[in-house]
Amino acid sequence: MKNLLSIESLSATEILGLIGESAVMKSTRGRHAAHPLRHQCWALVFSKSSTRTRVSFEVGIRELGGDPIFLAAADIQLGRGEPIKDTARVMGRMLHGAVIRTFDQQDVEDFAAFSGIPTINALTDAEHPCQIIADLFTITELRGPLDGLRVAFIGDGDCNVARSWIWAAARCGFELAIASPEKFQPPQCLLDAAGGKVSVSKDAAEAAAGAHVLYTDVWVSMGKEDEAAYRAAQFQGYQINARLLAEAEPSALVMHCLPAYRGKEIDEATFEAHAETIFRQAENRLHAQKAILARLVGQPARA
Ligand code: CP
Ligand code: NVA
């Protein structure tokens, strides 16, 4: 594995391998036998805001022996229009790896191709692969293997996180039920391309029925702020709350990639009742991304 650009580009074996390696990273934190990023400098190039992804990558790179450099896209020439392929060719000659958060998936693909250094997608409009690896690791920790799993994704079924869930379900073979208003459902061509046990409906209760995981994300993803009022109206009825949770398995996990907007995609009581799971998810970003970093430099974590 040279880059981590999408869940789409991973095999089930690679996904399951990363989940196992995340567990090793977590259990050996503070006493890793190897520091695979030693003498390496990695850039984080971010065009969108971030708390979890930025902190977990900066800490994770350091814990693996490397040095991170955070570059807000607006502060470098990229923000003034220098093409990504030129930025990539410069960075590829100076850095050992890059973590990119941007809009267009093609930009991370181009960065990887033109830089020649290991490149990680830290969120684009199309995918959020690091999030989903950490989430699958969290589910494995709390529930066990993914066999027989049913995940219900409630909300914006066409956002980056939902799209990565679609590919994860297709690759790993678990069931994914998406409930979204019609205008925010994933396109049929994506569902056809992914395959797997993925269903889409407008009915949140139907999606939640029998689910082992109820998952949601913000209604207004970064870059969609001018649609906020329209989205708030469209997504009424797509909140995770006690009424929806009653449709799921009695021991269902409630998960949220964060940041959360209480009273919108999830209510305060449900969020706080499941905060332990939700913040475990956030913590697991660190362990999962360390597993990804080690894998990309050819030194996967070993128990
Ligand atoms: N979930 C997630 O990626 O959070 P940040 O936007 O804070 O990085
Ligand atoms: N779908 C959200 C995820 C945030 C981590 C966004 O793109 O803003």
Side-chain angles (χ1 to χ4, degrees):
M1 196 191 297
K2 174 86 198 294
N3 304 299
L4 194 280
L5 302 181
S6 60
I7 299 291
E8 178 182 0
S9 60
L10 298 180
S11 65
T13 307
E14 287 170 326
I15 294 170
L16 296 176
L18 286 171
I19 294 171
E21 289 151 30
S22 303
V24 175
M25 284 295 183
K26 189 168 184 173
S27 64
T28 58
R29 189 176 184 204
R31 47 183 182 83
H32 297 314
H35 292 91
L37 300 193
R38 199 154 167 260
H39 301 311
Q40 293 203 2
C41 210
W42 280 61
L44 277 69
V45 185
F46 279 38
S47 303
K48 294 175 175 171
S49 304
S50 173
T51 299
R52 283 143 288 270
T53 309
R54 177 178 174 176
V55 174
S56 53
F57 268 112
E58 292 206 29
V59 171
I61 289 167
R62 285 198 174 90
E63 290 188 0
L64 295 181
D67 281 314
I69 305 176
F70 182 81
L71 299 166
D75 292 344
I76 58 175
Q77 298 290 5
L78 188 63
R80 299 181 67 244
E82 184 170 18
I84 192 82
K85 61 184 183 182
D86 293 354
T87 307
R89 282 180 283 190
V90 172
M91 292 191 178
R93 287 164 181 258
M94 298 181 186
L95 296 160
H96 299 92
V99 180
I100 316 274
R101 171 169 283 204
T102 190
F103 295 86
D104 192 344
Q105 177 72 18
Q106 193 58 48
D107 283 347
V108 292
E109 307 273 349
D110 287 348
F111 188 97
F114 282 93
S115 69
I117 54 175
T119 301
I120 297 175
N121 174 359
L123 180 148
T124 61
D125 291 344
E127 279 224 31
H128 195 1
C130 298
Q131 179 71 54
I132 270 50
I133 298 292
D135 294 341
L136 293 173
F137 169 44
T138 307
I139 292 169
T140 306
E141 279 189 311
L142 295 175
R143 186 182 173 274
L146 304 177
D147 312 317
L149 178 70
R150 176 179 167 88
V151 176
F153 184 100
I154 312 295
D156 183 357
D158 195 25
C159 77
N160 38 22
V161 172
R163 283 173 171 246
S164 287
W165 269 112
I166 290 169
W167 287 109
R171 295 289 182 256
C172 298
F174 60 82
E175 212 183 318
L176 175 68
I178 297 176
S180 310
E182 214 162 316
K183 289 202 168 63
F184 297 95
Q185 293 180 354
Q188 193 58 46
C189 58
L190 169 63
L191 298 170
D192 291 343
K197 293 183 259 177
V198 180
S199 60
V200 179
S201 83
K202 285 192 289 187
D203 189 335
E206 182 186 307
H212 306 107
V213 175
L214 284 192
Y215 194 106
T216 192
D217 183 9
V218 295
W219 289 345
V220 183
S221 284
M222 290 180 279
K224 307 287 184 195
E225 290 78 5
D226 56 349
E227 298 174 10
Y230 174 67
R231 284 172 174 257
Q234 287 283 312
F235 284 109
Q236 290 309 312
Y238 293 90
Q239 182 185 76
I240 295 188
N241 52 32
R243 195 151 43 92
L244 194 62
L245 194 51
E247 306 287 340
E249 280 283 295
S251 59
L253 302 175
V254 171
M255 299 181 72
H256 194 310
C257 58
L258 299 175
Y261 292 86
R262 289 145 163 102
K264 298 259 178 27
E265 73 274 5
I266 190 164
D267 73 349
E268 169 79 17
T270 309
F271 182 92
E272 290 302 339
H274 294 269
E276 186 48 46
T277 303
I278 292 167
F279 290 105
R280 177 187 284 257
Q281 261 182 280
E283 177 195 326
N284 282 343
R285 298 291 305 281
L286 171 65
H287 311 301
Q289 287 158 198
K290 285 170 70 180
I292 292 166
L293 289 161
R295 199 45 115 86
L296 294 188
V297 298
Q299 294 182 53
R302 296 264 179 262

